[in-house]
Amino acid sequence: MIVVKFGGTSVGKPERMKKVADLVLTTPGKKIVVLSALSGTTNTLVRIGDHLMNHQPGEASREIASLEKHYQAFVGDLYQSASYRAIGEEIVGRYFSLFRLLAAGRFDDRSYRELLAQGELISTELFYHHLQERKITARLLPALHFMSIDENQEPELDKISERLQPLIATLGNVEILVTQGYICRNHLNEIDNLKRGGSDYTASLIGAAIKADEIQIWTDIDGMHNNDPRVVKKTVPIAELTFDEASELAYFGAKILHPSTIVPAQKFGIPVRLKNTMDEQAAGTLISDKGSRGQIKAVAAKDNITAIRIKSSRMLLAYGFLRQVFGVFEKYRTPIDMISTSEVAVSITIDDARHLEEIERELRALGSIEIDQQQTIICIAGQGLAEKPDVLKLVFDALPTVSVRMVSFGGSPNNISILVPTPFKDQALQQLNRTVFGL
Ligand code: ADP
Ligand code: ASP
Ligand code: MG
């Protein structure tokens, strides 16, 4: 059994959604099809939610009305027959009356998350009826019946598997099972989600839960590229990546994969294949435990990083100092990405700055603090790249005009991380592309 996930752009237009049905039909064997919301929908739902949180119901109603028009046109083109168009209109009408109901009530964080979940619920329902109209046998598996996270927002893989296996077993002879990406329940049984871009993570969690043969992520580009195509003009797809490489790239900003996607797949050695819905002949990228070593494969960049330098109030970094520093981050459940130390100071980067004020206050007891915001981590990834003797020269020769705030090398044999102020990001990625990849 395999898992096939289609992202927002892959289902964002009626003709694309029809193409997804064709692709699913021509893929042999039993599969779970994970769908995202139509492209742009989650962004719009976020805007509607923000307006309601900010007590701007008029703005929210305007956004709801224009999104409804978009969906009405969508179902008009998706379905062929009058009877299925009527079903499509009923579906759209039902979701939009829920939006208006949510907007009219006391809008809190819980209603916000319920609102965000509707994008994937509506896309899967529309797709399922499209299959029905084409007389293709399929079933809808509601993600809210099996996908869950615990009180630390971590997916409960064992429970997901225990709930999912029997659901699938009862549908022994149905080859196409359709489910929602991104959405789940939390430890209070409320509707929640796996964070933006989370449909990839859904696919790999399902893959791990059913020990799938392969997880396929279908998107709008022909696989993982060597550099960020949104910033650099000439980038090329990479045919093969190891789990470690793909994991570093996803975590450090390669938007094609949610940061946690690789973790469940790697745990069970399930290959992840990245494919292009717009060009199914393109080879894409195969991520597995195999792959060449000792070369730089790709670079990625992660923005909105905060760097904190703590200068010990004692003369040297006496023993116990780092433990106290780390203790502060642990207390506020804030993961550290990069770290570099000198005789009397330590620099640390964090991505989640929600508790920055409290962290800063507690760190002041240990020494003097400097904080730099709007930093970007540039991640240079390749399995065993540290074994390449000239690797640092290669990277730093590429960056003669970039102001580097921090460097991390040797923590992992598969990555070099460089912290730069965000205004230097584009230049750094472009220079690395020319010098390291010769593109
Ligand atoms: P989906 O809606 O299918 O989940 P996303 O927009 O989340 O698609 O991810 C695909 C996009 O990721 C691409 O269109 C591309 O702009 C961006 N991207 C960023 N870095 C990379 C990279 N290294 N390789 C490929 N795509 C990348
Ligand atoms: N629809 C969600 C988002 O836009 C999840 C996803 O597309 O992966 O973030
Ligand atoms: Mg995505």
Side-chain angles (χ1 to χ4, degrees), residues 114-157:
E114 186 174 347
L115 178 68
L116 293 188
Q118 306 308 315
E120 271 67 15
L121 289 165
I122 189 167
S123 70
T124 46
E125 198 168 339
L126 294 176
F127 180 68
Y128 174 72
H129 283 91
H130 170 64
L131 297 178
Q132 295 275 88
E133 186 175 30
R134 288 171 62 174
K135 308 241 177 323
I136 301 167
T137 308
R139 290 295 293 160
L140 259 182
L141 285 182
L144 297 179
H145 291 200
F146 61 85
M147 193 55 82
S148 62
I149 51 175
D150 64 16
E151 59 275 24
N152 298 320
Q153 317 263 300
E154 287 296 324
E156 302 178 306
L157 189 53

Side-chain angles (χ1 to χ4, degrees), residues 2 31 300 309 326:
I2 66 168
K31 58 238 138 212
R309 180 179 289 125
F326 292 150

Side-chain angles (χ1 to χ4, degrees), residues 151-152 327-336 352 354-355 359:
E151 59 275 24
N152 298 320
V328 174
F329 290 90
E330 191 180 341
K331 180 169 170 192
Y332 293 100
R333 294 180 176 277
T334 299
I336 294 170
D352 174 0
R354 276 176 302 176
H355 298 290
I359 289 174

Side-chain angles (χ1 to χ4, degrees), residues 5-10 36 197 200 217-221 223-230 253-257 298-300:
K5 176 259 169 176
F6 295 90
T9 37
S10 304
S36 292
D200 304 324
I217 310 276
W218 289 78
T219 181
D220 58 359
I221 189 165
M224 178 77 80
H225 279 218
N226 71 303
N227 205 328
D228 193 328
R230 294 166 300 176
K255 190 193 172 224
I256 185 169
L257 289 175
V299 299

Side-chain angles (χ1 to χ4, degrees), residues 133-399:
E133 186 175 30
R134 288 171 62 174
K135 308 241 177 323
I136 301 167
T137 308
R139 290 295 293 160
L140 259 182
L141 285 182
L144 297 179
H145 291 200
F146 61 85
M147 193 55 82
S148 62
I149 51 175
D150 64 16
E151 59 275 24
N152 298 320
Q153 317 263 300
E154 287 296 324
E156 302 178 306
L157 189 53
D158 290 342
K159 289 190 185 164
I160 295 167
S161 180
E162 277 165 31
R163 297 183 199 113
L164 194 52
Q165 303 268 16
L167 278 181
I168 295 171
T170 53
L171 296 166
N173 46 11
V174 183
E175 287 216 323
I176 302 173
L177 307 177
V178 180
T179 193
Q180 299 83 22
Y182 177 60
I183 64 174
C184 62
R185 285 190 185 274
N186 64 23
H187 68 294
L188 300 171
N189 253 334
E190 297 164 349
I191 296 178
D192 214 316
N193 60 66
L194 301 174
K195 309 265 157 58
R196 295 305 307 272
S199 299
D200 304 324
Y201 199 19
T202 301
S204 70
L205 287 165
I206 292 179
I210 62 164
K211 311 280 184 302
D213 299 314
E214 183 168 290
I215 298 158
Q216 297 182 354
I217 310 276
W218 289 78
T219 181
D220 58 359
I221 189 165
D222 52 354
M224 178 77 80
H225 279 218
N226 71 303
N227 205 328
D228 193 328
R230 294 166 300 176
V231 176
V232 177
K233 272 203 202 101
K234 190 151 193 271
T235 60
V236 289
I238 309 165
E240 284 186 0
L241 284 173
T242 65
F243 287 124
D244 290 336
E245 289 165 340
S247 200
E248 304 252 13
L249 291 167
Y251 186 76
F252 287 111
K255 190 193 172 224
I256 185 169
L257 289 175
H258 176 283
S260 307
T261 309
I262 299 302
V263 180
Q266 183 166 21
K267 189 167 173 196
F268 297 99
I270 303 169
V272 178
R273 202 181 283 277
L274 310 183
K275 293 283 289 176
N276 189 351
T277 318
M278 325 296 160
D279 179 7
E280 74 240 52
Q281 299 306 327
T285 301
L286 179 63
I287 302 164
S288 70
D289 50 13
K290 294 188 242 353
S292 55
R293 293 179 62 85
Q295 48 172 324
I296 296 175
K297 296 267 186 70
V299 299
K302 184 172 173 178
D303 295 328
N304 294 319
I305 301 294
T306 303
I308 306 167
R309 180 179 289 125
I310 309 126
K311 199 164 167 216
S312 167
S313 40
R314 285 177 278 175
M315 273 307 284
L316 294 168
L317 275 183
Y319 59 83
F321 174 74
L322 287 178
R323 182 180 50 74
Q324 288 177 299
V325 169
F326 292 150
V328 174
F329 290 90
E330 191 180 341
K331 180 169 170 192
Y332 293 100
R333 294 180 176 277
T334 299
I336 294 170
D337 283 331
M338 284 175 71
I339 165 161
S340 99
T341 62
S342 78
E343 210 176 320
V344 290
V346 53
S347 268
I348 274 168
T349 71
I350 57 170
D351 159 38
D352 174 0
R354 276 176 302 176
H355 298 290
L356 187 59
E357 261 180 46
E358 296 99 306
I359 289 174
E360 182 181 357
R361 189 173 0 92
E362 297 211 17
L363 289 176
R364 286 212 184 278
L366 305 175
S368 61
I369 310 295
E370 275 171 55
I371 295 185
D372 293 317
Q373 286 179 300
Q374 296 206 347
Q375 304 286 306
T376 293
I377 295 178
I378 310 271
C379 162
I380 296 137
Q383 193 81 27
L385 59 66
E387 293 158 15
K388 194 174 153 58
D390 61 344
V391 70
L392 286 177
K393 179 174 182 332
L394 193 63
V395 168
F396 286 104
D397 278 354
L399 304 171

